[in-house]
Amino acid sequence: MIIEKIVGHIDELDANLVAKTHKEKVFLESSDLLKRIQRVKTDHGREIGIRLRDARELVAGDVLYMDEKNIILIEVLPDDVIIIEPRTLNEMGTIAHQLGNRHLPAQFEDDKMIVQYDYLVEELLVELGLPFARENRKVKKAFRHIGHSHG
């Protein structure tokens, strides 16, 4: 089976329909969400080729295939991340500046900054006295490096 477009998102489907269907999941690393072309396997052993026509990233919960009885969807494996919870605007500015200089991609949820685990970042946070926690967490989108040069 080759998937060329995303059918929809699991959260946007009728809850009654979703409850009645058999669900197969494709477990991906968050970095694989950026790939438009890849070969994957569902948790039931079905091989699927993904070759998206549209230039879009995959997102946790994307439905690759759906009929009356079956849904195949994307599930993201947990990432080793650091959750930073600055207490003040000054702390947020300080850590954002420090991590920005390292070109480290970040995601934001509520008042939390989420970055992929890096022991140097952990050391920096301890040195600055900023509150943080390390955990395995499923992210909805991939950590995307933004192309940039200091030319």
Side-chain angles (χ1 to χ4, degrees), residues 98-113:
Q98 292 282 337
L99 297 180
N101 278 339
R102 298 167 192 234
H103 301 278
L104 192 71
Q107 297 182 22
F108 299 89
E109 290 181 11
D110 302 318
D111 291 337
K112 298 176 179 102
M113 177 186 244

Side-chain angles (χ1 to χ4, degrees), residues 1-136:
M1 175 185 303
I2 296 178
I3 306 299
E4 294 184 326
K5 69 176 190 166
I6 302 304
V7 176
H9 194 276
I10 194 74
D11 294 340
E12 298 167 354
L13 299 177
D14 179 277
N16 292 326
L17 174 69
V18 171
K20 295 177 186 176
T21 57
H22 171 262
K23 287 162 228 39
E24 280 185 70
K25 295 179 180 178
V26 173
F27 289 93
L28 297 178
E29 301 275 338
S30 65
S31 59
D32 290 334
L33 296 173
L34 300 172
K35 298 177 183 175
R36 285 182 45 229
I37 300 172
Q38 57 188 308
R39 182 173 302 280
V40 297
K41 194 178 275 194
T42 71
D43 58 347
H44 290 62
R46 186 188 318 215
E47 286 197 29
I48 296 174
I50 299 174
R51 185 178 59 216
L52 298 179
R53 284 185 257 144
D54 298 333
R56 84 184 280 288
E57 297 173 12
L58 294 168
V59 176
D62 274 346
V63 177
L64 301 176
Y65 173 82
M66 185 172 99
D67 62 24
E68 312 80 44
K69 297 179 182 176
N70 299 294
I71 292 177
I72 300 175
L73 66 134
I74 299 291
E75 183 80 28
V76 180
L77 295 168
D79 279 297
D80 187 8
V81 297
I82 296 176
I83 313 296
I84 306 166
E85 294 190 63
R87 296 166 291 224
T88 66
L89 188 58
N90 185 37
E91 285 183 349
M92 176 53 96
T94 299
I95 195 59
H97 178 75
Q98 292 282 337
L99 297 180
N101 278 339
R102 298 167 192 234
H103 301 278
L104 192 71
Q107 297 182 22
F108 299 89
E109 290 181 11
D110 302 318
D111 291 337
K112 298 176 179 102
M113 177 186 244
I114 303 168
V115 296
Q116 289 177 305
Y117 178 77
D118 180 313
Y119 75 94
L120 293 172
V121 172
E122 184 176 41
E123 287 176 3
L124 175 65
L125 292 165
V126 169
E127 180 183 313
L128 294 173
L130 294 175
F132 72 94
R134 181 178 177 186
E135 64 182 59
N136 283 318

